[in-house]
């Protein structure tokens, strides 16, 4: 069912979380809905990717726990690059434990994720305590949480009921939850942000069950907001130029969605 | 429905994973089915707990990512204590991503979990690729994987169908999966090990939705194998003496189960 597609900047006015509002505004202002999934394993490679793709992305998604030579300065350097090129840092931690544990994992340890990651994500599987635990650490730092409502891996155990219960859990915390990791738009309430992983310019599957969709399919057909691209850019010969291609594809799909539905 | 309860050492003969076999043998040999959940945040506190409770436990469960002053030597020191007191190291990472990512998280980064943790656990939610990804890194090091089939937190999203699908996924990998994190015994096949978290000597709930059961309820009534005790021991004035109490309670429940059902 088609209905009017709202501009990102208009949706910003509905957000209860300040970070979500600023992110929506950034999308239209910078004209990019591309998030880079920076799945590299050294500090140098991570910083280089952030510097190279920074001008073309809205979000830089990390797995800080796969960096072999992590050191606390690394996150400060990332923050500096994020500020310079105006993008947000998203640690793709996929928290998945009870509230008391995720709170420690989020703010403590050597990674101190809450100190530098603007955005984190979590599975709803352990129940609402996981949001409460993360919010205890993240709300005071004006962070935002994305709930995993769907995944792109083969034969995953998500289903309609699970997704529905995830939405109910998220809707109880609009001050901290900013949206969803999902394959499609899940609600008509305009404040929720949808980020879609598993994007490549050509659809397909990897050897460990990851399934790929295209930018147009995610943004235009499925109605999501931000495309997350990993290997399509990171493994390219020229990540910078490739990021520009994905940025153009994602933005074109958004503009098309606006013109088709208005 | 009651049926003959097999001794741990007999169940060892059914295991396809060498670690699972050795763990079952250790339980009867050392006469303990107590796992300590070492939820402390400094290296010193972690090592002290391992040293103090080591003689009374079969498994030492860590959240390595909440240790503020982690350094690579820490895991070597843990391994030395584990060898001295004969217990296994279990990193409670709750992997919950696609296969390609969890493989990196398991063997890489600064924690290099696959190098020192005998046991890890994972959510089945992302689909079978998660087991394949972890097995690629863990099988060659003779590690073992526990699948999360149930959780003890309030209003969690596990249900009978999810648990059933988790079992099917695990049963396809008996060379790497050694059993489950669950609240009850889930299959009549004797090779699967059940570890039950959320155990205290008195039942109850914490402020972030964790629900507690007793050793007798888990081992005798629900038919699981290993009780995981965290705050009940870690927050006690005297963790060593308290661990001995839990060890006695867990073992008594096991002996009672054997005598009632044989």
């Amino acid at each position: 069912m088609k209905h009017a597609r709202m501009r990102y900047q208009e949706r910003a006015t509905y957000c209860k979380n300040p970070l979500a509002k600023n992110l929506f505004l950034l999308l239209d202002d910078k004209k990019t809905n591309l998030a880079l999934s920076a799945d590299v394993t050294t500090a140098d490679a991570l910083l280089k990717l952030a510097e190279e793709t920074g001008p073309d992305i809205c979000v830089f998604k990390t797995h800080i726990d796969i960096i072999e030579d992590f050191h606390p300065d690394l996150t400060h350097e990332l923050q500096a690059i994020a500020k310079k090129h105006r993008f947000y840092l998203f640690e793709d931690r996929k928290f998945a434990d009870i509230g008391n544990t995720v709170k420690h994992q989020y703010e403590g340890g050597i990674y101190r994720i809450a100190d530098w990651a603007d955005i984190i994500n979590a599975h709803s599987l352990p129940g609402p305590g996981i949001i409460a635990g993360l919010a205890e650490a993240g709300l005071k730092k004006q962070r935002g949480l994305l709930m995993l409502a769907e995944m792109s891996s083969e034969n995953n155990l998500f289903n309609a009921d699970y997704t529905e219960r995830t939405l109910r859990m998220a809707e109880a915390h609009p001050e901290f939850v900013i949206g969803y990791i999902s394959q499609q738009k899940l609600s008509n309430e305009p404040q929720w942000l949808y980020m879609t992983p598993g994007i490549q310019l050509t659809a397909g599957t990897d050897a460990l069950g990851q399934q790929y969709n295209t930018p147009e399919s995610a943004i235009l057909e499925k109605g999501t907001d931000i495309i997350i691209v990993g290997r399509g850019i990171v493994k390219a010969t020229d990540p910078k130029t490739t990021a520009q291609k994905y940025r153009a594809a994602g933005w074109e799909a958004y503009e098309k969605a606006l013109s088709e539905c208005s």
Side-chain angles (χ1 to χ4, degrees), chain A:
Chain A
M1 196 184 67
K2 295 272 177 186
H3 51 80
R5 182 86 166 237
M6 236 181 244
R7 290 203 79 89
Y8 298 127
Q9 63 198 19
E10 191 182 342
R11 289 170 59 199
T13 61
Y14 294 89
C15 296
K16 291 191 176 61
N17 175 300
L19 173 82
K21 183 184 290 275
N22 291 334
L23 177 50
F24 270 126
L25 291 175
L26 177 74
L27 297 179
D28 269 336
D29 192 38
K30 194 171 170 181
K31 294 195 177 15
T32 173
N33 51 21
L34 170 63
L36 182 77
S37 176
D39 296 346
V40 293
T41 57
T42 66
D44 277 353
L46 191 70
L47 293 170
K48 186 162 177 272
L49 259 182
E51 193 59 75
E52 280 183 351
T53 64
D56 293 298
I57 62 176
C58 56
V59 167
F60 188 74
K61 183 173 86 60
T62 53
H63 283 297
I64 203 70
D65 60 347
I66 69 170
I67 305 294
E68 287 160 17
D69 52 350
F70 171 88
H71 49 88
D73 284 346
L74 175 60
T75 55
H76 300 143
E77 290 165 43
L78 272 182
Q79 283 182 297
I81 300 172
K83 196 173 174 192
K84 180 170 70 172
H85 292 305
R86 291 197 305 150
F87 59 79
Y88 288 93
L89 296 172
F90 167 19
E91 167 59 18
D92 186 4
R93 175 57 178 75
K94 293 188 175 66
F95 289 103
D97 212 318
I98 62 171
N100 187 59
T101 299
V102 295
K103 185 175 178 236
H104 285 295
Q105 291 173 324
Y106 181 25
E107 63 182 358
I110 48 166
Y111 294 137
R112 305 190 67 82
I113 296 168
D115 283 353
W116 57 270
D118 303 294
I119 304 166
I120 48 158
N121 58 357
H123 285 294
S124 50
L125 189 58
I130 193 168
I131 302 183
L134 292 169
E136 278 189 11
L139 212 44
K140 61 192 175 210
K141 294 178 199 272
Q142 299 214 312
R143 303 309 186 194
L145 170 65
L146 293 164
M147 296 305 293
L148 284 128
E150 294 176 329
M151 279 182 85
S152 47
S153 45
E154 222 169 10
N155 293 318
N156 66 61
L157 272 58
F158 287 79
N159 59 32
D161 178 59
Y162 184 98
T163 300
E164 195 57 34
R165 292 180 67 184
T166 303
L167 264 63
R168 295 297 90 76
M169 273 174 57
E171 286 161 359
H173 292 275
E175 76 296 348
F176 189 51
V177 180
I178 65 173
Y180 305 96
I181 300 290
S182 71
Q183 297 297 305
Q184 58 189 316
K185 176 172 172 284
L186 298 166
S187 148
N188 284 322
E189 293 180 35
Q191 75 265 36
W192 305 110
L193 183 83
Y194 303 95
M195 292 186 61
T196 303
I199 300 290
Q200 289 203 340
L201 289 175
T202 319
T205 308
D206 85 353
L208 291 169
Q210 171 72 318
Q211 300 171 127
Y212 291 103
N213 283 310
T214 64
E216 177 150 321
S217 140
I219 301 288
L220 180 63
E221 292 162 29
K222 303 290 188 178
T224 68
D225 299 311
I226 292 179
I227 50 171
I228 306 178
V229 181
R231 282 172 264 180
I233 292 174
V234 176
K235 303 273 186 204
T237 323
D238 182 350
K240 188 178 175 61
T241 313
T242 312
Q244 289 163 352
K245 279 187 199 150
Y246 275 96
R247 175 193 187 166
W251 200 255
E252 195 184 329
Y254 167 62
E255 294 280 15
K256 210 162 159 185
L258 287 175
S259 65
E260 272 190 6
C261 303
S262 60

